[in-house]
Amino acid sequence: IAALATQHGYRRGEIVFSHGDPGDALFAVVTGRVRISTGTAAGREIFLNIMEPGDTFGEIALLDGGPRTATATAIAPTELVSIRRGPLFQLLEREPKAALELLRLAGERLRWTSGLLEDAALLDAPARLAKRLLSLGELHGEDGPGGRTIRISQEELASFLGVSRQSVNEQLQDWKARGWVGLGRGTVVVCDAAALRKSVSTG
């Protein structure tokens, strides 16, 4: 796989691919961070995920040959490796285990997307915020003396949930007063994960 891959650097804010582009390559993050997002009919951007070193993305359009279903944007100086569709499919024909791993990844992403849709239908905004913080903390957080720190702004959290920044700020301030979270410049610290989980179950 490494022999087929090419590496390319992206500046902060540079688009890797856009919604509707041809799905002709699979990407993996070497360094940096990539935001996966989509847009609404009203022009609002909704964040779907953040990819960090070791994460791969772009597999859906790669598998079915259709256009990209989301936009990928570097949110920090980023190095990616990519493998084009033709050479990768030739490899998959020779290496069935690699094909199974790609299918596992696609299934994992499908479950993730289904979970987002289920949350939007069944949970209120505070419960969705709590669940997203717990998920981001588990996937991307860093342990510290006060809890698990997530590098994310309130504006980004609002875009994740499709709500206003003001509503996110009001909820986070309430949780801060309770001791559930800590707030910093561009960071949220999960101080009481058990309390957030309980709020999800009652949301």
Side-chain angles (χ1 to χ4, degrees):
I1 292 177
L4 299 175
T6 57
Q7 189 161 335
H8 185 69
Y10 294 84
R11 301 182 303 276
R12 177 186 175 93
E14 188 172 359
I15 293 176
V16 180
F17 57 74
S18 297
H19 184 282
D21 284 353
D24 56 358
L26 178 70
F27 293 86
V29 182
V30 180
T31 62
R33 306 171 83 209
V34 174
R35 179 180 68 227
I36 308 299
S37 62
T38 189
T40 68
R44 176 184 292 179
E45 184 182 25
I46 297 178
F47 295 178
L48 300 176
N49 212 341
I50 294 176
M51 299 298 169
E52 295 196 324
D55 292 335
T56 57
F57 61 95
E59 71 288 337
I60 300 299
L62 178 85
L63 284 172
D64 67 9
R68 296 291 185 189
T69 58
T71 296
T73 308
I75 55 176
T78 298
E79 290 286 332
L80 302 178
V81 293
S82 63
I83 305 176
R84 310 296 292 185
R85 191 169 192 264
L88 179 60
F89 273 43
Q90 291 175 9
L91 171 69
L92 297 180
E93 291 176 356
R94 301 192 305 270
E95 299 287 346
K97 288 184 179 179
L100 291 174
E101 177 62 18
L102 189 58
L103 288 173
R104 184 200 64 78
L105 175 63
E108 185 179 276
R109 291 290 151 75
L110 180 60
R111 287 182 181 273
W112 170 268
T113 304
S114 297
L116 292 180
L117 293 173
E118 183 177 322
D119 290 348
L122 301 178
L123 299 179
D124 60 19
R128 287 191 289 128
L129 176 58
K131 188 171 183 179
R132 181 51 63 98
L133 285 175
L134 290 168
S135 175
L136 289 171
E138 181 179 345
L139 293 172
H140 308 296
E142 300 172 359
D143 286 324
R148 198 159 178 83
T149 299
I150 307 163
R151 290 181 295 146
I152 192 168
S153 69
Q154 294 184 27
E155 185 176 349
E156 288 174 321
L157 278 171
S159 293
F160 263 127
L161 301 174
V163 299
S164 70
R165 181 189 180 282
Q166 181 181 355
S167 64
V168 168
N169 178 261
E170 290 174 354
Q171 187 62 62
L172 289 176
Q173 292 295 342
D174 177 62
W175 289 343
K176 179 182 178 181
R178 298 169 186 247
W180 296 4
V181 303
L183 302 178
R185 187 177 181 85
T187 62
V188 178
V189 182
V190 175
C191 304
D192 192 340
L196 289 177
R197 289 192 190 93
K198 185 176 181 180
S199 72
V200 173
S201 65
T202 58

